[in-house]
């Protein structure tokens, strides 16, 4: 693990054109160190005959993970987008080793002069002081409790959490202040913190949402290479539900012609104990468009054009705009669920399945009235 550094010192100079053999990226979602949008100089790959021969490709070492400790200046991130259900978020990490190829947070690594491709899943930024900063912010006299989510950008239970325990520290601060929160994760690591979550859930101060994109283990390994397997996430839902923690399932994102088992996922999650559900459609902002196209060309070349055409249709960008290649519209009224015929059909499938299974499409209502800022400072309370 590397000592504390400044974002400007991060290795943004890795060769952006370096394409890695499919054998050498096992366990990774991206295939290249894709250049980010702020780079002034880019390089083009040229086959000069010195590449490893195919028979030696499997000997190439996969890119390792490096964790960089960063001193956070703030913990709470405010959100004013009406299509997002929480008002504040806390993210102990930047970058995510799960390596989900579709992750909308990938382009944020560009602000660190890092690639949204392999760097996003191999160069992890850990905010080592996040719990202390959060405690200070919650203790401010003017702080007003609002709906808060942990892990909205990158998974708060990604592998490095086992060692650093930053998410656990955040939960302990929220517990001390009686501040309600929700968690969103793909990891079974959340089970480690049941000792904290169970009593908080009993007081309507905590809820957990587990993302299951597909039940197809082979697809999940390609698409979310270092996240828990689908069957393991179902076990996590069951463990949470049996312990009394309100748990919902996220079937997001829905990717045309790739994730086609939404109803089966919802049914399996309901059987495991999930009581609510939500979904979004695939979003491809900034560099994520090119990165996802690269992934499709690598894993599903025969259907790549079909998938991208349907993505355009989901965001109502077909016909006139298709020639320009636009695949994403950031309009908050449609970006999450899409618009047009195919978006309507997807909405009907989801709504019908939830109605049949008795799954609520509303988030668990948490109690904001129990918040006591003095408790975060270690003071007693008369109420």
């Amino acid at each position: 693990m590397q000592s504390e550094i400044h974002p400007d010192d991060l290795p943004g100079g890795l060769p952006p054109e370096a394409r890695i053999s499919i054998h050498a990226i096992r366990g990774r979602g991206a295939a290249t160190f894709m250049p980010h949008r702020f780079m002034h100089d880019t390089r083009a790959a040229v086959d000069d005959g010195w590449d490893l021969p195919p028979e030696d490709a499997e000997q190439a070492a996969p890119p390792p993970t490096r964790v960089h400790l960063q001193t956070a200046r703030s913990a709470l991130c405010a959100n004013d987008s009406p299509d997002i259900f929480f008002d504040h978020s806390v993210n102990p990490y930047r970058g995510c080793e799960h390596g989900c190829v579709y992750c909308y947070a990938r382009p944020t690594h560009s602000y660190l002069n890092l690639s949204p491709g392999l760097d996003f899943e191999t160069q992890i930024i850990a905010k080592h002081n996040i719990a202390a900063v959060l405690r200070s912010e919650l203790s401010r006299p003017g702080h007003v409790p609002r709906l808060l989510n942990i892990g909205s950008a990158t998974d708060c239970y990604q592998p490095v959490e086992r060692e650093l325990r930053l998410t656990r520290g955040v939960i302990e601060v929220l517990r001390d202040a009686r501040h309600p929160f929700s968690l969103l994760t793909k990891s079974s690591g959340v089970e480690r913190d049941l000792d904290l979550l169970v009593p908080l859930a009993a007081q309507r101060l905590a809820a957990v949402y587990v993302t299951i994109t597909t039940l197809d283990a082979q697809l999940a390994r390609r698409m979310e290479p270092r996240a828990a397997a689908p069957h393991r996430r179902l076990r996590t839902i069951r463990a949470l539900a049996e312990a009394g923690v309100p748990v919902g399932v996220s079937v997001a994102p829905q990717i045309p012609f790739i994730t086609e088992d939404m109803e089966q996922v919802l049914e399996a999650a309901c059987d495991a104990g999930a009581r609510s559900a939500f979904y979004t459609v695939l979003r491809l902002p900034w560099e994520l468009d090119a990165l996802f196209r690269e992934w499709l060309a690598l894993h599903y070349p025969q259907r790549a054009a079909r998938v991208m055409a349907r993505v355009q249709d989901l965001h109502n960008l077909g016909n006139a705009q298709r020639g320009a290649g636009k695949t994403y519209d950031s309009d908050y009224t449609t970006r999450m669920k899409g618009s047009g015929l195919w978006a309507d059909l997807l909405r009907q499938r989801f709504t019908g399945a939830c109605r049949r299974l008795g799954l609520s499409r509303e988030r668990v209502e948490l109690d904001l009235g129990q918040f006591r800022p003095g408790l975060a400072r270690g003071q007693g309370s008369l109420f």
Side-chain angles (χ1 to χ4, degrees):
M1 185 172 296
Q2 189 164 311
S3 60
E4 181 182 335
I5 59 174
H6 189 276
D8 290 343
D9 299 327
L10 293 175
L14 289 169
E17 80 286 359
R19 185 172 295 275
I20 297 177
S21 162
I22 191 171
H23 301 288
I25 61 168
R26 55 186 179 274
R28 299 298 182 187
T32 62
F33 292 102
M34 176 175 289
H36 58 75
R37 61 188 181 277
F38 301 119
M39 294 186 70
H40 298 294
D41 300 317
T42 58
R43 303 176 187 178
V46 176
D47 183 5
D48 57 4
W50 288 97
D51 290 338
L52 287 173
E55 60 269 19
D56 294 333
E58 295 189 22
Q59 303 302 317
T65 300
R66 297 179 65 196
V67 179
H68 308 274
L69 300 183
Q70 184 183 59
T71 301
R73 296 172 181 165
S74 63
L76 291 172
C77 180
N79 163 62
D80 59 1
S81 298
D83 58 342
I84 298 177
F85 74 94
F86 52 85
D87 302 301
H88 286 138
S89 63
V90 177
N91 291 287
Y93 303 99
R94 300 182 71 172
C96 185
E97 197 174 358
H98 284 169
C100 304
V101 70
Y102 53 73
C103 182
Y104 57 82
R106 281 182 176 271
T108 63
H109 247 41
S110 301
Y111 298 113
L112 301 175
N113 195 30
L114 290 170
S115 166
L118 279 170
D119 279 344
F120 180 80
E121 49 196 285
T122 60
Q123 305 290 337
I124 309 301
I125 314 302
K127 305 172 187 178
H128 67 90
N129 64 330
I130 188 76
V133 174
L134 177 61
R135 189 179 298 276
S136 175
E137 291 180 346
L138 294 181
S139 301
R140 292 173 181 168
H143 177 74
V144 177
R146 301 187 185 279
L147 293 178
L148 184 151
N149 180 261
I150 307 175
S152 59
T154 58
D155 204 304
C156 56
Y157 283 103
Q158 59 181 288
V160 70
E161 169 63 17
R162 298 175 194 143
E163 177 184 352
L164 296 185
R165 301 167 71 89
L166 300 183
T167 298
R168 184 175 178 87
V170 167
I171 295 175
E172 288 172 339
V173 171
L174 294 169
R175 174 203 60 189
D176 293 345
R178 296 184 188 172
H179 194 300
F181 64 92
S182 60
L183 284 168
L184 181 62
T185 185
K186 293 185 179 77
S187 174
S188 60
V190 66
E191 296 175 34
R192 180 202 64 188
D193 293 336
L194 277 173
D195 61 316
L196 298 176
L197 295 172
V198 170
L200 290 171
Q203 302 172 63
R204 293 174 53 211
L205 293 176
V208 176
Y209 299 92
V210 178
T211 299
I212 304 179
T213 316
T214 179
L215 296 180
D216 184 335
Q218 185 176 19
L219 170 59
R221 177 169 293 184
R222 293 173 180 169
M223 189 168 57
E224 310 157 337
R226 298 202 177 191
H231 74 274
R232 185 65 182 89
R233 295 182 225 177
L234 289 171
R235 283 173 51 193
T236 296
I237 289 177
R238 187 174 302 278
L240 290 164
E242 290 178 350
V245 178
V247 57
V249 62
S250 163
V251 287
Q254 288 297 303
I255 306 174
F257 308 118
I258 300 294
T259 57
E260 291 290 273
D261 57 347
M262 178 177 65
E263 290 86 353
Q264 290 77 14
V265 173
L266 290 170
E267 184 172 357
C270 183
D271 290 343
R275 291 297 171 260
S276 62
F278 68 94
Y279 79 100
T280 65
V281 298
L282 177 68
R283 296 182 287 149
L284 298 175
W286 299 108
E287 298 93 336
L288 190 54
D289 186 322
L291 190 143
F292 186 74
R293 290 175 187 268
E294 183 179 77
W295 180 84
L296 282 174
L298 188 63
H299 296 285
Y300 298 99
Q302 296 86 357
R303 69 180 86 166
R306 188 182 181 201
V307 171
M308 295 309 299
R310 181 60 56 82
V311 170
Q312 290 178 314
D313 288 339
L314 276 173
H315 293 282
N316 204 24
L317 298 170
N319 301 324
Q321 296 188 50
R322 183 169 293 161
K326 187 176 181 182
T327 57
Y328 179 61
D329 185 353
S330 60
D331 185 349
Y332 70 81
T333 62
T334 59
R335 61 178 179 169
M336 294 294 189
K337 297 296 193 293
S339 60
L341 174 63
W342 295 111
D344 289 341
L345 290 174
L346 187 61
R347 188 180 299 109
Q348 291 172 21
R349 287 176 56 196
F350 177 79
T351 302
C354 287
R355 184 187 304 115
R356 174 173 57 85
L357 297 168
L359 285 169
S360 170
R361 286 175 287 154
E362 302 297 326
R363 269 68 171 191
V364 176
E365 186 175 346
L366 302 175
D367 186 4
L368 294 168
Q370 298 184 48
F371 175 64
R372 297 294 183 269
L375 296 177
R377 297 189 293 266
Q379 298 176 356
S381 175
L382 297 176
F383 305 98

